[in-house]
Amino acid sequence: MDSPSRNDACWCGSGKKYKKCHLHIDERLQELYELGEEVPYRNLLKTAQDIEGIKRSAEVNIGALDYVAEHIQVGTTTEEIDQWVYDYCIKHDAIPADLNFEGYPKSVCTSINEVVCHGIPSADDVLKEGDIINVDMSTIKDGYFSDSSRMFCIGEVSKEKKRLVEITRRAVEAGLDAVKPWCHLGDVSAAVNKVAVDAGYSVVAEFGGHGIGLEFHEDPFVSFVARAGTGPILAPGMCFTIEPMVNMGKAAIDMSDPNGWTVRTADGKPSAQWEVQLVVTETSYELLSW
């Protein structure tokens, strides 16, 4: 894209002169591009105004998941969870991003035990002792998108399931530790994958994280089976999710559910997922939604 002159206002809308704002970032990206690296388009780099908007959206997303955490228990139906999320969003002048997205019928995804992702809430799904469940929600507020998910252990859960949930959380933390400006997205992927595989688990390849902020799903796709040193450069302003789906058994998945959404492990063993949303900064990253 064309760049302003050094003393013109920066393209990001900050009001600062270009030389005092994004000039050094654009120059670095150009250098890397000329070296053959994959660099993000400028429209994927979130401005300070964008980040503040995403934070307002994330406040609702985090608050709704906090509400779920306070109320979820044995006997809760996933339909109730969906209603909690919907009501919380509406009360806070926000919209559940999942609702009617590409025909998805509910406000949240509730994935129990062997369900890898996109479990559809239902009055027939009653949480019982020993279940693990991922509650994955996304919020739109003032046009900005936030996204995160959490695992919940219902009642007394087996040591095997608890370990899966904990290792998956550690994998996300390892991914966050690998987020460094001017490194590669593959570095994040490899860090996540190593924690899961070293623990004896497998990582789903078909689904992953994604860019987000001005749209629900933006570039880049965030794989968790990619190699270190590959993929796009992590430029300041990139905003994306880390959300590995870690299986206790094999990585193969079953997408044959007639509802067209729900994904399960092919071997019927449990799966876990945590999701966070972050923005790359000039020195590290800032966590936006969790």
Side-chain angles (χ1 to χ4, degrees):
M1 296 174 66
D2 292 336
S3 295
S5 299
R6 291 174 58 86
N7 289 311
D8 288 344
C10 187
W11 56 261
C12 74
S14 66
K16 298 178 183 178
K17 291 183 178 180
Y18 182 47
K19 66 182 181 183
K20 297 284 189 180
C21 195
H22 271 87
L23 174 59
H24 66 292
I25 292 175
D26 287 352
E27 288 179 337
R28 183 76 182 275
L29 287 171
Q30 183 65 32
E31 291 172 2
L32 290 166
Y33 174 77
E34 291 173 0
L35 290 171
E37 296 285 2
E38 182 183 349
V39 300
Y41 288 107
R42 187 181 285 168
N43 62 1
L44 293 179
L45 304 183
K46 302 302 181 283
T47 67
Q49 179 180 345
D50 293 335
I51 294 167
E52 289 307 308
I54 294 168
K55 286 180 178 178
R56 291 193 298 273
S57 177
E59 285 180 6
V60 180
N61 211 71
I62 294 165
L65 287 173
D66 285 345
Y67 185 92
V68 172
E70 291 168 3
H71 294 84
I72 196 169
Q73 60 183 335
V74 173
T76 298
T77 68
T78 54
E79 180 72 25
E80 288 178 288
I81 296 171
D82 184 73
Q83 192 65 52
W84 295 341
V85 165
Y86 177 83
D87 291 345
Y88 191 96
C89 286
I90 298 305
K91 182 179 179 180
H92 291 84
D93 300 316
I95 302 168
D98 287 338
L99 187 59
N100 298 319
F101 175 74
E102 296 185 351
Y104 187 77
K106 296 292 184 176
S107 299
V108 68
C109 295
T110 50
S111 302
I112 305 170
N113 297 327
E114 78 283 358
V115 176
V116 174
C117 61
H118 304 159
I120 300 177
S122 168
D124 296 329
D125 288 334
V126 183
L127 295 177
K128 61 183 183 300
E129 191 92 11
D131 283 341
I132 58 173
I133 179 173
N134 177 265
V135 178
D136 186 351
M137 69 166 292
S138 307
T139 298
I140 312 169
K141 184 174 175 66
D142 302 328
Y144 291 100
F145 289 76
S146 56
D147 192 5
S148 53
S149 79
R150 301 182 196 173
M151 291 297 300
F152 298 100
C153 293
I154 306 302
E156 289 296 322
V157 174
S158 70
K159 291 180 180 179
E160 292 79 10
K161 284 184 177 179
K162 282 183 180 178
R163 181 175 182 268
L164 175 66
V165 169
E166 176 60 20
I167 292 296
T168 305
R169 184 184 63 80
R170 291 182 193 174
V172 171
E173 292 171 349
L176 286 170
D177 288 343
V179 176
K180 295 179 173 58
W182 310 115
C183 290
H184 292 85
L185 184 59
D187 301 339
V188 178
S189 305
V192 169
N193 189 276
K194 184 177 187 329
V195 171
V197 172
D198 283 356
Y201 301 136
S202 60
V203 181
V204 173
E206 292 86 347
F207 295 91
H210 52 90
I212 184 172
L214 306 184
E215 300 289 343
F216 194 171
H217 294 99
E218 302 172 353
D219 288 333
F221 173 71
V222 185
S223 168
F224 299 108
V225 296
R227 293 179 292 107
T230 65
I233 293 293
L234 296 177
M238 283 182 66
C239 183
F240 59 91
T241 66
I242 299 177
E243 48 176 312
M245 300 168 198
V246 179
N247 295 349
M248 187 181 289
K250 302 294 185 181
I253 58 174
D254 176 2
M255 300 178 65
S256 65
D257 194 295
N259 69 30
W261 285 98
T262 302
V263 180
R264 294 178 173 82
T265 57
D267 59 14
K269 293 185 178 180
S271 184
Q273 176 194 21
W274 294 86
E275 178 183 10
V276 297
Q277 179 182 1
L278 64 99
V279 62
V280 181
T281 68
E282 293 203 43
T283 57
S284 181
Y285 69 87
E286 183 177 4
L287 199 58
L288 301 178
S289 188
W290 56 87

